[in-house]
Amino acid sequence: MSDVLTLERRAAVARLRLDRPDLHNAFDAGLIAQLTTALDTLGRDPEVRVVVLEGSGRSFSAGADLNWMRGMASAGEDANREDALALARLMRTLDELPKPTIARVHGAAFGGGVGLVACCDIAIGVPQATFGLTESRLGLLPAVISPYVIAAIGPRQARRWFATAEVFDAAEALRIGLLHAVVDAAQLDAEIDRQIALLRKAGPVAAAGAKRLVRTVTAAADRDRLDHDNAALIAALRVSPEGQEGLGAFLDKRAPAWVAP
């Protein structure tokens, strides 16, 4: 796609690769804009069933590019606000993407890189991967990514890691919920492929709607309204073409139409 972001399509799977290996796939304004646009395009593509986010070189993503940060440090508050809003749009686009997403974390993830991991529906890492919300060392906070990181690891863990900026390993990332699984580097692609296969067996509408359901239930304040909304959702799914095909396939003991041969 560009010199900083590559896209590989294989059947219904799209792999987006951050491609700034010499800079540990750090963000700048250009990469943020291109990644946001690419995700938006993939989200609207009916042929795409799964999106994998990965990095080239040794790191997944080191967060903000130092030269970019240097430039923003000398800019005014209004320019910094607009710059931060662009990052917020990226994170929200990834978090709400109407496709299942997988983070392939083969190396270090810091700052905004942790935000990307937290925004993905499934996150698989290797034992050598390291993580850090290191903004407080600079007198800053991971404010823009905080809704997604807190949703992933919980308020109690976030209070510690946001304040201390301590770097932690993959085992700790697994324990606190940032990663779903840790596998040896030699098995990483096999595990990613296993998750893709599981997602492709699920109904496309159901798989895409899973994150929306979780977000709705988590935010709900009115339990009676939630019960009615969820009942309406399952009723609509049962009579939808996908629901009818899925139920029919189960009863007929065959694979549903959306499962690739």
Side-chain angles (χ1 to χ4, degrees):
M1 294 184 64
S2 72
D3 57 346
V4 298
L5 184 67
T6 60
L7 171 63
E8 179 183 342
R9 292 282 298 270
R10 291 184 181 178
V13 180
R15 301 182 77 107
L16 272 174
R17 183 178 302 110
L18 309 179
D19 202 7
R20 305 181 81 199
D22 294 342
L23 297 173
H24 298 276
N25 302 316
F27 299 159
D28 62 7
L31 178 56
I32 289 172
Q34 289 183 42
L35 184 53
T36 303
T37 298
L39 287 168
D40 184 61
T41 300
L42 292 172
R44 291 183 282 106
D45 188 335
E47 300 300 318
V48 173
R49 294 277 304 278
V50 183
V51 176
V52 178
L53 185 63
E54 57 191 14
S56 61
R58 292 182 297 158
S59 300
F60 177 76
S61 174
D65 181 291
L66 293 178
N67 289 325
W68 177 48
M69 290 179 64
R70 185 176 293 111
M72 295 316 300
S74 62
E77 186 171 345
D78 288 345
N80 271 279
R81 184 181 298 108
E82 289 303 312
D83 187 76
L85 282 172
L87 181 60
R89 284 191 290 272
L90 167 59
M91 295 294 163
R92 189 162 182 178
T93 299
L94 178 57
D95 183 66
E96 298 183 358
L97 197 75
K99 313 284 181 179
T101 53
I102 303 173
R104 179 187 181 276
V105 189
H106 74 293
F110 290 89
V114 175
L116 292 177
V117 175
C119 285
C120 286
D121 302 313
I122 301 169
I124 311 296
V126 299
Q128 297 81 11
T130 54
F131 303 84
L133 295 150
T134 54
E135 288 84 349
S136 67
R137 294 181 186 174
L138 307 176
L140 307 174
L141 285 171
V144 171
I145 65 172
S146 62
Y148 313 105
V149 177
I150 293 170
I153 70 175
R156 182 64 172 167
Q157 295 293 341
R159 286 167 65 166
R160 172 189 177 181
W161 301 110
F162 285 10
T164 66
E166 182 181 358
V167 174
F168 53 96
D169 62 15
E172 183 67 6
L174 177 65
R175 188 187 73 83
I176 64 178
L178 183 61
L179 291 178
H180 291 98
V182 176
V183 299
D184 289 340
Q187 299 301 317
L188 180 58
D189 287 325
E191 179 59 24
I192 297 296
D193 288 342
R194 191 178 78 86
Q195 296 296 323
I196 291 170
L198 290 169
L199 290 168
R200 294 192 67 182
K201 289 180 181 178
V205 174
K211 71 184 79 183
R212 186 168 60 250
L213 174 60
V214 173
R215 188 165 54 246
T216 299
V217 171
T218 302
D222 185 335
R223 292 177 62 86
D224 291 336
R225 175 64 181 272
L226 180 62
D227 286 344
H228 284 287
D229 288 348
N230 282 341
L233 173 60
I234 192 61
L237 289 172
R238 285 175 182 168
V239 301
S240 70
E242 180 171 296
Q244 290 287 294
E245 170 63 13
L247 290 169
F250 176 77
L251 295 172
D252 294 341
K253 298 182 179 180
R254 60 174 174 82
W258 58 74
V259 176

